Amino acid sequence: MSDQNEYIYQVLGGPSYTSKELPSNWENETPLLLSSYRAANAPEMKLLPLEEFPLISDFEIWLICFLDSGQAPLGYHVSFFSPSHGFIASFPWWDHVENTLSMEKFEIPVGNFKFPYTDVEQGWEIVIAKDKSFVYVMQGQLGQRKFDGYPIWFKVSKKDYFTKWNKAIELCKKLKESN
């Protein structure tokens, strides 16, 4: 691969950026610490300070790939984005999402308070759960020896969450049809 400064990042159905132009990554000012945390086990959602989760009212889902010499070796990846905050969460190990999202049996990643959606991969973790009004997202890094909390935690209206996922799915289906 070429030098990182030479990468172009392409948002499916959207703009392109150089490495220097990419929006920043957002984190909460204070990590969400859980005394009962156990690796790869979702937290007890009802015990979280749900009213304190910041509401992301301009939530978007970006499907973004990096181009190296005009090729996208890892395909597109899912990023949760907010024009007012920047990148707010992502699925860094989910390569070629354009293939998965265009499948008929694809299920939007979300759980409920009893069984939250969780994904853990190589030091990264995301937890997603919905209630009647919101979808709550927590993302963190699993350290070598201990859990340092979720530096990313926010909520999105349930309607926005599913609307943006359905838009991303449609973009993937159009991409597949055009190839």
Side-chain angles (χ1 to χ4, degrees):
M1 286 190 232
S2 59
D3 180 46
Q4 184 178 7
N5 293 334
E6 297 176 23
Y7 291 150
I8 299 295
Y9 293 84
Q10 175 64 54
V11 177
L12 185 59
S16 295
Y17 298 93
T18 65
S19 299
K20 293 177 185 173
E21 297 169 331
L22 268 176
S24 61
N25 293 312
W26 174 83
E27 291 185 358
N28 296 72
E29 289 183 24
T30 306
L32 182 61
L33 300 173
L34 307 173
S35 59
S36 63
Y37 180 82
R38 289 177 295 149
N41 289 299
E44 183 69 39
M45 297 299 294
K46 291 180 182 179
L47 300 178
L48 298 177
L50 300 173
E51 66 285 345
E52 294 177 25
F53 276 56
L55 175 64
I56 305 296
S57 59
D58 58 352
F59 177 78
E60 298 178 3
I61 293 179
W62 280 12
L63 304 175
I64 190 166
C65 69
F66 77 89
L67 301 175
D68 183 23
S69 302
Q71 302 295 315
L74 301 174
Y76 287 92
H77 289 86
V78 173
S79 288
F80 293 165
F81 185 78
S82 160
S84 63
H85 292 81
F87 289 104
I88 52 178
S90 67
F91 293 79
W93 300 105
W94 189 2
D95 299 342
H96 298 282
V97 298
E98 67 274 17
N99 297 331
T100 309
L101 271 63
S102 60
M103 295 171 61
E104 287 301 317
K105 293 187 179 190
F106 172 72
E107 293 184 24
I108 294 171
V110 69
N112 55 41
F113 277 23
K114 190 171 183 177
F115 299 105
Y117 171 89
T118 59
D119 193 0
V120 178
E121 185 73 40
Q122 298 186 34
W124 163 89
E125 179 180 26
I126 195 164
V127 177
I128 306 171
K130 66 179 178 175
D131 66 8
K132 291 179 183 177
S133 303
F134 298 104
V135 173
Y136 298 85
V137 178
M138 298 177 292
Q139 182 176 303
Q141 302 296 326
L142 302 173
Q144 296 275 339
R145 294 187 173 86
K146 66 178 187 139
F147 174 68
D148 295 326
Y150 293 101
I152 298 167
W153 47 284
F154 60 91
K155 64 186 173 190
V156 177
S157 81
K158 193 163 77 170
K159 179 184 175 193
D160 282 349
Y161 186 80
F162 286 100
T163 298
K164 301 305 178 171
W165 268 108
N166 287 321
K167 180 180 174 187
I169 291 166
E170 288 306 311
L171 282 171
C172 290
K173 288 180 178 179
K174 287 179 184 178
L175 179 66
K176 188 173 183 179
E177 290 170 5
S178 69
N179 290 335

